[in-house]
Amino acid sequence: MALLEKKGKKEGFFLMVEGGRIDHVAHANDPAGTIGDTFAFDNAVKVALDYAKKDKDTLVVVVADHETGGLTIGAGGEDVKADITLLSRLTKTAEFMGKQIKADGSNIDAVFAQYAGINDLSAAERTGIQSASKKALAVANVISARAGIKFASTGHTGVTVPVMAVGDKEHEFTGLLDNTEIPKIIAEAMDLDLN
Ligand SMILES: [Zn+2]
């Protein structure tokens, strides 16, 4: 920020930061990864907001280019609530846990106990993970099922994404916007002539 500020003393500057790992972990349907990287993204947004507060002439726009995974919270029926306590006990991603599992599957229970606080795997869960070719995804699916959450896809979805803005022209980021409108509003805020 300090370097950009110095370089753009007269004209100002444009900075785009992507929290790209959220997409990766959502493709992997990884509960701990999705939560952890969303927190990391939140921390990055805070840096931008703190800067804007100090600078008083900065527009901060937070938006996604698409949704990934189609995460449902409280999946499995009307009475199913997400188990936040279980999710808060996760200390490693499913990707990490999958890599810890030995080829003979002898330590599956130990891995779940150590990194997910789950001490009562069923025989079906254990054999499901053992026989899976994609260990990380199998681990992730067991955790999600127990936590009452569910991913609809390992790909991108067509769900609309939120856009949030603070600063000049913030009021224009309302309603249903086509994605092509966003750079136009930013250009307007920067007094750039796109023609
Ligand atoms: Zn993606």
Side-chain angles (χ1 to χ4, degrees):
M1 293 281 212
L3 183 67
L4 287 167
E5 206 173 37
K6 214 168 131 192
K7 289 270 183 199
K9 213 166 204 167
K10 279 188 192 130
E11 306 90 349
F13 63 86
F14 174 85
L15 171 68
M16 195 199 86
V17 180
E18 182 178 13
R21 274 291 279 170
I22 300 173
D23 179 57
H24 299 164
V25 287
H27 276 294
N29 288 185
D30 196 321
T34 303
I35 296 165
D37 276 291
T38 302
F39 274 122
F41 182 71
D42 196 51
N43 289 335
V45 170
K46 188 182 183 304
V47 173
L49 289 176
D50 286 348
Y51 179 87
K53 206 181 243 176
K54 229 173 52 196
D55 178 66
K56 295 185 178 66
D57 191 26
T58 294
L59 168 64
V60 179
V61 181
V62 179
V63 67
D65 53 349
H66 58 75
E67 198 275 346
T68 305
L71 176 61
T72 301
I73 297 168
E78 262 178 55
D79 301 326
V80 178
K81 290 191 176 73
D83 186 347
I84 305 300
T85 313
L86 187 154
L87 293 171
S88 68
R89 279 201 304 265
L90 302 172
T91 57
K92 292 288 180 191
T93 61
E95 183 184 1
F96 178 93
M97 287 171 66
K99 280 184 187 152
Q100 305 306 306
I101 294 171
K102 292 179 183 160
D104 65 0
S106 59
N107 66 336
I108 292 177
D109 285 82
V111 167
F112 269 79
Q114 187 173 354
Y115 304 114
I118 293 172
N119 298 296
D120 58 348
L121 280 185
S122 70
E125 287 171 327
R126 204 176 295 117
T127 43
I129 292 164
Q130 169 62 9
S131 61
S133 57
K134 290 179 177 169
K135 288 278 183 287
L137 186 59
V139 168
N141 287 342
V142 166
I143 292 168
S144 293
R146 280 176 171 249
I149 64 171
K150 197 179 177 94
F151 288 87
S153 163
T154 54
H156 299 161
T157 69
V159 176
T160 48
V161 295
V163 54
M164 285 158 278
V166 174
D168 187 23
K169 308 283 178 210
E170 62 183 21
H171 58 278
E172 292 193 29
F173 293 93
T174 53
L176 189 66
L177 294 171
D178 189 78
N179 59 349
T180 58
E181 291 301 315
I182 290 165
K184 288 178 195 163
I185 304 169
I186 294 171
E188 226 179 279
M190 294 182 79
D191 294 323
L192 293 176
D193 182 4
L194 290 185
N195 300 313

